[in-house]
Amino acid sequence: MISEREVAKTLSLIEKDPLKAKEIVSKYPERDYFVVGITGSPGSGKSTMTDKLAEMFAIEKDVAIIAVDPTSAFTGGAFLGDRIRMRRSVKRYNIFIRSMASRGAVGGLSPGIYDAVEFLGRAGYDIIFVETVGVGQSETDIVNLADLVLLVLAPGTGDDVQMLKAGIMEIGDIYVVNKKDLDESQKLLANIKATLKLGGIERDIISTNSITGENIDQLRDIVQGHLTVLSQTEKLEENRKDRYKFNLLNTLFSILRTRYSKTEDLEKIISLYTNEEGENNESKEN
């Protein structure tokens, strides 16, 4: 495995240039690895949970963490402070942590993250945790990137009804109700179970406390069980193919946006397409 310093420098190049990224990634041989997405409402304890899970998996495997922070729509900057809550992982030699900005992506993930994940997997990391920004109903890109998605919710982090709406509730493979010591946690757990049952959706649901570590070992076992099943089926290969398609689309979009963002050309193209699409839709309806 290459050094952490070299990994960090390579990731910086990948983030800056999507075309260069493809060249860099292609130099490394393909290998098996898993991508675990950790997403959910802001303040639900995603960073602390990621820290605990990474430490547990690092006992036997090399682990990487990509922590995505929101980018300011006004200044274009990002705080990149998730690693503050990952004190355990920072101390381990076989856990690599990288903070990345969302760069204003509507779905919550920047285009460069696809190449970053592919590079980390090929560079020798067995499990890559991707912790997203605090998601809303539309920020569901993580399903296009991860082999397994943990949806982390907690009481007192906003309107629970909003988190139970279609979109965000459909992306989780494992549902985690964190902060189980809070009074409203059991109510939230019951609401999630009722919502899933109503939709005919079968998922693993677990209540945890990422601060004390309560039930985190059980969550690790559930995650490992899912990864084992994935490795024994064709689903993992299907995920790789889907990820490649989304990576390609995101790269093309990034190149177009960079090339035409300072001109009116792209706006004209979008406008023409939108008008034609609108006219076609109207004609079909009539």
Side-chain angles (χ1 to χ4, degrees):
M1 183 181 292
I2 62 177
S3 68
E4 285 195 4
R5 182 182 178 86
E6 190 64 28
V7 170
K9 290 172 64 177
T10 304
L11 286 175
S12 295
L13 292 174
I14 287 174
E15 283 190 85
K16 291 177 182 178
D17 190 339
L19 291 179
K20 185 68 175 178
K22 300 292 183 293
E23 296 178 13
I24 294 172
V25 172
S26 64
K27 293 178 181 178
Y28 294 84
E30 293 185 7
R31 60 182 295 275
D32 290 334
Y33 62 93
F34 296 103
V35 183
V36 178
I38 299 182
T39 189
S41 54
S44 59
K46 298 187 298 298
S47 296
T48 305
M49 185 171 295
T50 302
D51 183 39
K52 289 280 200 333
L53 284 173
E55 183 187 31
M56 289 179 175
F57 277 101
I59 294 174
E60 298 179 349
K61 302 179 183 297
D62 291 313
V63 177
I65 299 172
I66 295 181
V68 183
D69 266 7
T71 297
S72 170
F74 301 99
T75 65
F79 182 58
L80 305 179
D82 281 320
R83 67 180 65 196
I84 294 173
R85 296 187 180 91
M86 299 181 184
R87 297 175 183 176
R88 293 172 179 266
S89 297
V90 167
K91 296 177 182 179
R92 292 193 66 98
Y93 73 93
N94 63 335
I95 299 180
F96 176 82
I97 304 176
R98 175 75 173 200
S99 295
M100 292 181 67
S102 66
R103 299 180 184 270
V106 175
L109 298 176
S110 65
I113 198 169
Y114 291 86
D115 288 312
V117 164
E118 181 70 18
F119 164 69
L120 288 170
R122 294 190 181 199
Y125 292 96
D126 304 305
I127 297 180
I128 302 164
F129 288 96
V130 179
E131 183 208 338
T132 74
V133 298
V135 300
Q137 295 171 47
S138 63
E139 292 165 329
T140 55
D141 267 3
I142 189 63
V143 296
N144 303 324
L145 175 67
D147 299 311
L148 182 71
V149 176
L150 276 64
L151 179 59
V152 184
L153 303 172
T157 55
D159 187 354
D160 293 342
V161 175
Q162 292 295 325
M163 294 307 300
L164 297 177
K165 287 186 177 180
I168 185 65
M169 284 299 290
E170 295 170 358
I171 70 174
D173 296 299
I174 301 172
Y175 292 83
V176 185
V177 177
N178 199 30
K179 303 184 180 181
K180 72 185 300 282
D181 57 312
L182 299 182
D183 295 335
E184 295 296 312
S185 65
Q186 291 305 309
K187 179 182 177 182
L188 178 58
L189 186 67
N191 286 342
I192 293 173
K193 289 181 177 179
T195 302
L196 294 176
K197 184 177 181 180
L198 186 64
I201 303 172
E202 294 185 4
R203 295 288 190 275
D204 287 304
I205 307 173
I206 186 171
S207 182
T208 64
N209 186 328
S210 58
I211 298 294
T212 63
E214 187 175 1
N215 289 348
I216 298 296
D217 55 343
Q218 295 180 29
L219 176 60
R220 175 206 58 202
D221 293 342
I222 293 173
V223 171
Q224 183 58 63
H226 278 265
L227 298 182
T228 300
V229 171
L230 278 172
S231 64
Q232 296 172 347
T233 64
E234 296 180 356
K235 179 62 177 174
L236 198 61
E237 183 61 28
E238 292 175 6
N239 289 349
R240 295 288 181 274
K241 291 179 180 178
D242 290 340
R243 188 180 303 153
Y244 174 79
K245 293 176 184 177
F246 281 103
N247 187 2
L248 180 61
L249 289 172
N250 274 282
T251 300
L252 291 173
F253 173 76
S254 179
I255 292 171
L256 286 171
R257 183 177 61 180
T258 302
R259 226 167 249 193
Y260 296 106
S261 61
K262 296 182 180 180
T263 71
E264 298 179 356
D265 293 348
L266 188 57
E267 292 182 8
K268 289 179 180 178
I269 294 172
I270 294 174
S271 177
L272 287 171
Y273 178 82
T274 304
N275 289 338
E276 288 178 4
E277 188 84 359
E279 290 171 4
N280 288 337
N281 288 338
E282 288 178 6
S283 61
K284 288 178 181 178
E285 292 175 0
N286 295 331

